[in-house]
């Protein structure tokens, strides 16, 4: 039985990953600020309470997992700058525990080095760098930490993320061109994440996804 630990478990992507993992017979540990947020899953998963600045709790949640999924990001009304620091704590704990496989969700606008990002997304990134430099610096830093970790990582870069189930024909790859109409469903993203953890087709690559 494959064991995964999910950070960002109460968000849309985290919940979709957990639900799909359970249908595939995986053993899931979810890290959340409060266990009440995942009460409907009590008894089916292990829930670890803790903040994303608590190194000891993070290490305990990782335990001896086969893989870790990072699916957190800034939310409206919540702290905006925390992703890089939290990701560094997770990476350090993974190394200490000997856990090597990592899937991390960032976004289509994160990072500088992507020629497959179309004109629309390049313009949107420039706009965000001007309007929210602290936010973009944090997300860019998160991606850099993952890529320099020495772990067996895959970074997922969804464009506009919509609610919905997995869509047949969803495309995934490091060279996938992302234009203004690009979008994906949370179900397709969850399917891609778990498929990669099982199949390891894109180890140490950043991949775009389009439904």
């Amino acid at each position: 039985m494959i064991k995964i630990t999910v950070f960002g478990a109460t968000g849309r992507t985290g919940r979709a990953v957990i639900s799909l993992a359970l249908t595939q017979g995986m053993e899931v540990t979810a890290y959340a600020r409060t266990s009440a947020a995942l009460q409907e899953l009590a008894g089916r998963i292990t829930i670890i309470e803790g903040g994303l600045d608590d190194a000891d709790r993070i290490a305990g949640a990782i335990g001896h997992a086969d893989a870790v999924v990072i699916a957190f990001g800034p939310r409206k009304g919540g702290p905006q700058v925390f992703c890089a620091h939290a990701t560094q704590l997770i990476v350090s704990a993974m190394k200490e525990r000997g856990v090597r496989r990592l899937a991390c969700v960032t976004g289509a606008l994160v990072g500088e080095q992507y020629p497959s990002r179309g004109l629309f997304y390049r313009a949107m990134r420039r706009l965000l760098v001007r309007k929210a430099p602290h936010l973009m610096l944090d997300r860019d830093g998160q991606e850099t930490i993952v890529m320099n970790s020495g772990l067996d990582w895959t970074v997922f870069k969804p464009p506009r993320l919509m609610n919905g189930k997995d869509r047949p024909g969803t495309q995934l790859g490091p060279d996938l061109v992302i234009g203004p109409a690009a979008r994906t469903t949370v179900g397709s993203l969850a399917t891609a994440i778990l498929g990669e953890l099982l199949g390891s087709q894109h180890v140490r690559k950043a991949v775009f996804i389009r439904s």
Side-chain angles (χ1 to χ4, degrees):
M1 179 183 294
I2 295 177
K3 300 177 182 179
I4 66 170
T5 298
V6 180
F7 293 91
T10 61
R12 284 192 299 170
T13 301
R15 286 179 179 275
V17 167
I18 291 170
S19 295
L20 184 59
L22 289 174
T23 68
Q24 296 184 1
M26 296 182 181
E27 184 176 320
V28 179
T29 296
Y31 192 79
R33 193 160 47 114
T34 62
S35 59
L38 296 170
Q39 193 59 44
E40 75 278 8
L41 294 171
R44 301 180 65 199
I45 65 173
T46 299
I47 304 171
I48 304 294
E49 286 189 342
L52 286 170
D53 57 352
D54 191 329
D56 291 337
R57 287 280 188 176
I58 286 172
I62 290 171
H64 298 287
D66 297 302
V68 170
V69 177
I70 297 176
F72 51 65
R75 296 184 184 181
K76 186 175 182 180
Q80 297 294 298
V81 180
F82 67 91
C83 295
H85 178 64
T87 298
Q88 184 60 70
L89 293 179
I90 293 167
V91 165
S92 296
M94 289 178 68
K95 291 180 176 181
E96 291 172 5
R97 299 284 176 138
V99 180
R100 296 204 50 80
R101 193 67 174 102
L102 172 63
C104 179
V105 181
T106 59
L109 297 177
V110 178
E112 293 280 5
Q113 71 279 22
Y114 298 105
S116 62
R117 187 161 49 203
L119 288 173
F120 173 79
Y121 276 94
R122 290 202 290 273
M124 288 295 295
R125 176 174 167 81
R126 288 194 295 269
L127 177 62
L128 275 177
V129 167
R130 289 197 301 269
K131 291 184 65 176
H134 59 294
L135 176 61
M136 297 307 295
L137 185 64
D138 182 47
R139 298 311 301 268
D140 288 356
Q142 177 188 25
E143 210 170 77
T144 299
I145 287 166
V146 171
M147 292 178 177
N148 292 338
S149 66
L151 299 173
D152 297 329
W153 55 268
T154 303
V155 169
F156 290 85
K157 301 178 70 62
R160 186 180 304 174
L161 190 60
M162 308 179 298
N163 292 325
K165 297 180 180 180
D166 180 26
R167 289 189 175 180
T170 293
Q171 297 173 290
L172 178 74
D175 300 319
L176 186 67
V177 176
I178 296 296
R183 60 195 65 199
T184 194
T185 64
V186 68
S188 292
L189 179 57
T191 298
I193 291 169
L194 292 185
E196 178 59 29
L197 294 182
L198 292 170
S200 296
Q201 298 297 307
H202 299 289
V203 176
R204 298 192 179 181
K205 294 180 182 179
V207 293
F208 290 88
I209 181 171
R210 184 177 64 205
S211 294

